[in-house]
Amino acid sequence: MSELTRIPAPAGVAPAAQYSHVVLGRGRFVAIAGQVPLDEDGKLVGESDAAAQARQVFENLSRCLTAAGATFDDVVKLTYFVTDMAHMPALRAARAEHIPDDRLPAASAVQVAALVRSEFLMEVEAFAVVGE
C-alpha cells in the first residue's frame, strides 16, 4: 500500500463534500479503464437499476485493483461518467462500501449523452498509486 496524502480543501479553495481536491503519493502508477456494469460472464447487471449497476461497477474496480496489487486505499482519483446525474447517489453509496469518508480520492463526475451500450447507466475509471 502506498502512503498517500489527501488535501480536502487547499488554501483558497472551497471544501469538497464528497471527494478530496488533491491526493498525492509516491509509488507505481496504476490506471484502471472505465468499468461498466457487466459481470464476469459479460452479462449486464441491473438493467435500469442504478444501485445494482453501481455495485457491479465497484466490484469490477475492486477486481481490477487487486489484479494490479492495489486496493481502494491506493486510489487517488475516480472519474464518474453517468447518463443522468440522478445516478450519483447510487454511485456514492457503492463507493461508501469500499472507501471510508476519511480516505476519499479526488473525483470528477461528468454527465454524458450515452455510453458504449445504451443499457449502461454509468462507467467509472480509477487511478491509483501503489507503494514502491
Side-chain angles (χ1 to χ4, degrees):
M1 180 176 23
S2 62
E3 180 119 356
L4 300 178
T5 301
R6 290 169 175 79
I7 305 170
V13 177
Q18 295 289 325
Y19 59 92
S20 296
H21 278 290
V22 179
V23 181
L24 57 115
R26 296 187 83 142
R28 183 171 43 90
F29 180 75
V30 177
I32 306 294
Q35 296 299 301
V36 294
L38 295 176
D39 68 14
E40 60 191 59
D41 297 320
K43 294 183 179 143
L44 176 68
V45 172
E47 184 163 352
S48 302
D49 181 343
Q53 288 197 16
R55 286 190 300 273
Q56 184 63 47
V57 164
F58 270 86
E59 180 59 32
N60 292 347
L61 287 168
S62 179
R63 290 176 180 172
C64 290
L65 288 164
T66 297
T71 70
F72 279 104
D73 282 343
D74 302 310
V75 172
V76 297
K77 175 80 172 17
L78 292 171
T79 305
Y80 304 96
F81 301 96
V82 294
T83 57
D84 188 327
M85 282 296 173
H87 303 319
M88 287 305 298
L91 279 164
R92 287 186 193 108
R95 182 199 63 207
E97 294 176 17
H98 297 275
I99 304 173
D101 285 347
D102 66 339
R103 301 200 52 81
L104 292 174
S108 299
V110 181
Q111 183 170 324
V112 296
L115 292 166
V116 69
R117 286 180 35 187
S118 62
E119 61 267 36
F120 295 162
L121 303 177
M122 62 198 61
E123 180 173 335
V124 180
E125 66 182 16
F127 299 103
V129 176
V130 180
E132 300 178 89

